[in-house]
Amino acid sequence: MFDIICYRLKGHLHYQCEIVPAGKPIEDVVDNWQNVLDSHRVSGFATEEDARKYVREKYEST
């Protein structure tokens, strides 16, 4: 299973998304997680490709 962690760093307007193994903490994903202003997790993807498709549809189509 895979999760998507989306986060926005201080001084940035857009979210960045990372596909990670389910349950992985944000501290292990983002090097400078102390600078994260906002984050959210989307869970439950069976494959990494399903997660990539979701990111393309929801976050990269703007």
Side-chain angles (χ1 to χ4, degrees), residues 1-50:
M1 297 295 289
F2 294 90
D3 292 350
I4 300 168
I5 295 177
C6 295
Y7 57 93
R8 188 168 58 92
L9 298 172
K10 292 177 186 173
H12 293 256
L13 297 175
H14 301 287
Y15 282 90
Q16 299 175 35
C17 296
E18 301 284 340
I19 299 169
V20 299
K24 188 169 187 173
I26 190 170
E27 294 87 354
D28 293 346
V29 176
V30 183
D31 290 335
N32 52 349
W33 64 269
Q34 299 89 343
N35 292 326
V36 171
L37 287 177
D38 185 33
S39 69
H40 60 275
R41 178 183 298 262
V42 184
S43 301
F45 296 96
T47 67
E48 195 170 345
E49 182 55 39
D50 289 343

